């Protein structure tokens, strides 16, 4: 089941590969700044985690 989920994410990544690196860097940097200002806001870090998941599943889906 998890491998099928990774393949679906890999297919999505295949068509939207140019969005995820920029989204990861922007949301990670903005999330760290927000975390330093107010410790309750972690939505941008969650978005950075999702972008990292999409990039890693796109790369790893070729090896499955």
């Amino acid at each position: 089941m998890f491998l099928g989920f990774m393949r679906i994410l890999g297919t999505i990544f295949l068509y939207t590969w140019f969005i995820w690196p920029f989204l990861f860097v922007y949301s990670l940097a903005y999330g760290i700044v927000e975390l330093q200002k107010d410790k309750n806001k972690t939505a941008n870090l969650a978005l950075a985690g999702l972008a990292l998941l999409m990039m890693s599943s796109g790369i790893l889906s070729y090896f499955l």
Side-chain angles (χ1 to χ4, degrees):
M1 182 174 152
F2 183 70
L3 294 177
F5 180 68
M6 292 287 284
R7 287 188 180 142
I8 291 170
L9 289 179
T11 304
I12 294 171
F13 176 77
L14 182 67
Y15 294 111
T16 61
W17 64 269
F18 50 88
I19 296 171
W20 300 107
F22 297 112
L23 183 66
F24 173 70
V25 170
Y26 174 76
S27 60
L28 183 65
Y30 193 67
I32 290 173
V33 168
E34 286 290 321
L35 193 61
Q36 289 176 350
K37 289 181 182 177
D38 186 4
K39 296 191 186 280
N40 294 330
K41 295 185 178 180
T42 58
N44 287 316
L45 293 176
L47 185 61
L50 177 70
L52 185 61
L53 172 72
M54 287 298 293
M55 289 187 293
S56 63
S57 66
I59 293 169
L60 293 175
S61 69
Y62 294 112
F63 298 112
L64 297 176

